[in-house]
Amino acid sequence: MNDFPHTVAGIGVGPANLSLAALMAPLDDAQTVFFEQKPAFSWHPGLLFETAALQTSFLKDLVTAADPTSPYSFVSFLVAKKRFYRFLSANFGSVLRSEFAEYMGWVAERIDALRFGASVRDVTYGDGMFLLRHDKGAVRARHLAVGSGSRPRMPEWVRADEKAACIHSSRFLLSDTDLAGKRVAVVGGGQSGAEIFEHLITKGDGMPSHIAWISRRPNFLPLDESAFTNEWFTPGYVAAFQEVSEQRKQRLLAHQKLASDGISDSTLTGIYRRLYDLHYLQGRPDVAALMPGREVVDMRHEAGGARLTLRNDFSGAVESVPADVVILATGYEWYLPDCLDPLTDRIDVDGDGRLRLDARYRVSWSGPGENRIYAQNAARHSHGVADAQLSLLAWRSAVIVNDIMGRAVYDVGGEIDPIQWTPGLSETAVPAAV
Ligand SMILES: Cc1cc2nc3c(=O)[nH]c(=O)nc-3n(C[C@H](O)[C@H](O)[C@H](O)COP(=O)(O)OP(=O)(O)OC[C@H]3O[C@@H](n4cnc5c(N)ncnc54)[C@H](O)[C@@H]3O)c2cc1C
């Protein structure tokens, strides 16, 4: 075992813990180590389509919101890669996800504290330290940073014996299933479902014989990126959100779905134009069926494939769709990684098994306050819609760094909020009429 006690040890190196590692890196008085089970950094490779674009500004990178002078910013990457002016001239509406993934991989190569190909096996606690056993040894650390992400969500109607006919979207580009000439159903009306549908209808010779795109939502609805909606993705809103009751939080999150899970306008337009092309210019009006407002309620195996039963919320009818392959663009769910099993009876979770986190992203647990567990992207239910996104990555990491170090390493102070979320404005604060 490496007996050297670290200030903080991280589980997982996705964007969240990579951001934390990047903001910890300049600190001489901290020793950090972050473990990642994958052999090298990658970002959702199963959905890294050539044209897929970020749904967030590139300024919301790993570090800039906390430290615009950091050598780990997206702009530093552009300069180092000698593509700064070309990037500006290209005038991208949104940065391609492949370029943002390359940027994060570039940062990962520059931070010494990252250990790839090292899955954390288990974490125990004793003598004022966490002990992390991983594939290549063990380390001790005063604090823990859990950034292990979320896992693919499998709908209840996928029974074990039907799994072979299904591909979760997270594995779409990694799967070697040949879809050419097959009947394919894509289930899920968010960005991943849209990108997969667009990819399938654009394949030319390799196209499936038929593609059904099924969504529970009443239509294929756009991402809301308007100015006041973006206020939900600010530190000020996170602070206000934490103050409201549990019941209100869940109601607010339901209203905010399209701010994080809607489909990019460029993807919707691309799909619409391709369908126009297929219908009128290619003479293939029957190649795809767009089926919003449908809830899949059952999936059965039948000769040569599967059959999905759908409840149509628009007409009230029950429909069925045959498919050789079902693509599940059904999202992800947060989970506590298995390696934390030895600590689970000390970790405080709510009735739905979700962590209880405070404003500094400390997990509530029964251990001493000098040893803290921080969790990233685990607090959508308590801290708001921005939590599982890139938007507040750098700010949240800075909050955690400050708490770990016990001093204001980064300025995480708020800006002027244009919206008054809480009743803070008393009559005396309203300027008198002149
Ligand atoms: C296709 C796609 C596109 C997205 N695009 C955007 C976008 O444009 N804008 C936006 O704001 N958000 C976007 N998101 C949402 C969110 O930003 C990403 O999901 C992001 O990757 C979450 O980062 P993370 O670090 O929390 O988790 P992850 O990226 O899932 O990383 C967690 C890491 O932990 C590792 N790990 C897990 N357990 C262990 C263990 N025991 N030991 C070692 N390592 C472990 C995993 O291998 C993984 O690499 C997107 C999500 C998806 C799926």
Side-chain angles (χ1 to χ4, degrees):
M1 171 171 66
N2 177 355
D3 211 30
F4 177 75
H6 290 81
T7 313
V8 60
I11 304 171
V13 182
N17 264 354
L18 183 57
S19 163
L20 181 61
L23 290 177
M24 288 295 289
L27 307 181
D28 293 334
D29 54 344
Q31 291 81 38
T32 61
V33 63
F34 291 80
F35 298 101
E36 168 56 50
Q37 62 195 3
K38 290 186 288 197
F41 182 86
S42 63
W43 189 44
H44 302 307
L47 281 165
L48 212 54
F49 298 106
E50 246 175 63
T51 53
L54 212 58
Q55 288 189 313
T56 322
S57 161
F58 66 83
L59 288 175
K60 291 178 168 179
D61 63 14
L62 299 167
V63 290
T64 297
D67 180 7
T69 67
S70 168
Y72 305 121
S73 69
F74 184 74
V75 173
S76 298
F77 160 79
L78 291 178
V79 172
K81 290 284 179 181
K82 305 273 180 240
R83 56 175 98 148
F84 178 78
Y85 295 107
R86 293 288 308 279
F87 177 83
L88 290 180
S89 299
N91 199 18
F92 292 109
S94 308
V95 171
L96 292 177
R97 281 214 302 272
S98 52
E99 186 165 35
F100 206 71
E102 186 193 345
Y103 150 65
M104 291 192 283
W106 174 85
V107 172
E109 283 167 14
R110 276 156 185 74
I111 297 178
D112 292 337
L114 311 183
R115 307 281 176 272
F116 287 92
S119 177
V120 178
R121 298 278 173 205
D122 66 60
V123 183
T124 51
Y125 177 78
D127 298 330
M129 288 282 159
F130 293 101
L131 175 67
L132 287 83
R133 270 183 280 264
H134 56 91
D135 287 344
K136 297 176 178 173
V139 296
R140 293 187 305 142
R142 195 170 313 130
H143 306 299
L144 205 58
V146 182
S148 44
S150 42
R151 64 184 169 204
R153 185 185 294 127
M154 299 302 268
E156 281 166 15
W157 44 263
V158 180
R159 284 185 291 267
D161 57 331
E162 303 293 357
K163 280 199 176 133
C166 297
I167 304 170
H168 189 270
S169 57
S170 57
R171 297 206 43 78
F172 181 73
L173 289 174
L174 309 176
S175 157
D176 51 14
T177 306
D178 183 9
L179 301 178
K182 300 223 170 98
R183 299 164 304 171
V184 175
V186 179
V187 181
Q191 181 66 20
S192 295
E195 287 179 6
I196 289 170
F197 180 72
E198 184 177 29
H199 176 81
L200 291 175
I201 58 173
T202 317
K203 273 175 88 76
D205 287 346
M207 252 173 85
S209 61
H210 185 264
I211 311 145
W213 184 19
I214 300 160
S215 171
R216 243 190 330 219
R217 299 178 194 180
N219 201 343
F220 296 103
L221 298 171
L223 181 74
D224 182 351
E225 298 181 277
S226 54
F228 290 105
T229 293
N230 282 340
E231 285 300 311
W232 291 334
F233 298 83
T234 60
Y237 186 74
V238 173
F241 189 87
Q242 286 172 72
E243 298 306 316
V244 303
S245 72
E246 180 63 22
Q247 211 181 6
R248 281 178 201 279
K249 280 179 180 167
Q250 300 324 311
R251 216 167 54 216
L252 288 166
L253 286 168
H255 281 306
Q256 295 168 351
K257 192 152 184 67
L258 292 177
S260 65
D261 294 347
I263 304 170
S264 296
D265 190 47
S266 56
T267 312
L268 286 173
T269 307
I271 290 172
Y272 196 92
R273 288 181 181 158
R274 176 62 181 158
L275 288 172
Y276 182 96
D277 177 48
L278 285 168
H279 291 170
Y280 296 112
L281 310 182
Q282 311 288 328
R284 300 185 66 184
D286 300 326
V287 71
L290 273 73
M291 308 178 79
R294 268 79 161 191
E295 166 114 40
V296 180
V297 290
D298 194 27
M299 177 177 167
R300 301 262 159 180
H301 192 73
E302 63 174 27
R307 183 165 290 274
L308 297 173
T309 304
L310 318 179
R311 196 180 304 123
N312 184 328
D313 198 37
F314 183 73
S315 68
V318 172
E319 298 162 289
S320 87
V321 170
D324 302 309
V325 180
V326 179
I327 316 280
L328 301 170
T330 44
Y332 299 80
E333 58 193 5
W334 179 84
Y335 72 108
L336 201 60
D338 293 348
C339 60
L340 290 178
D341 281 355
L343 296 179
T344 41
D345 54 357
R346 305 192 67 173
I347 291 177
D348 192 13
V349 291
D350 68 11
D352 294 318
R354 300 171 304 195
L355 295 176
R356 292 185 204 279
L357 298 177
D358 73 8
R360 291 164 293 181
Y361 297 92
R362 292 180 181 193
V363 173
S364 166
W365 81 300
S366 66
E370 305 83 66
N371 300 110
R372 299 187 283 275
I373 305 172
Y374 299 92
Q376 303 233 56
N377 281 358
R380 187 176 184 274
H381 61 289
S382 55
H383 291 48
V385 62
D387 198 72
Q389 304 287 314
L390 300 178
S391 284
L392 291 178
L393 211 60
W395 170 81
R396 184 181 56 208
S397 294
V399 169
I400 295 173
V401 172
N402 289 354
D403 199 52
I404 289 173
M405 301 309 290
R407 62 178 194 268
V409 178
Y410 296 105
D411 182 356
V412 293
E415 303 179 355
I416 297 172
D417 286 326
I419 301 177
Q420 191 191 337
W421 300 109
T422 49
L425 193 66
S426 69
E427 265 183 52
T428 51
V430 178
V434 284

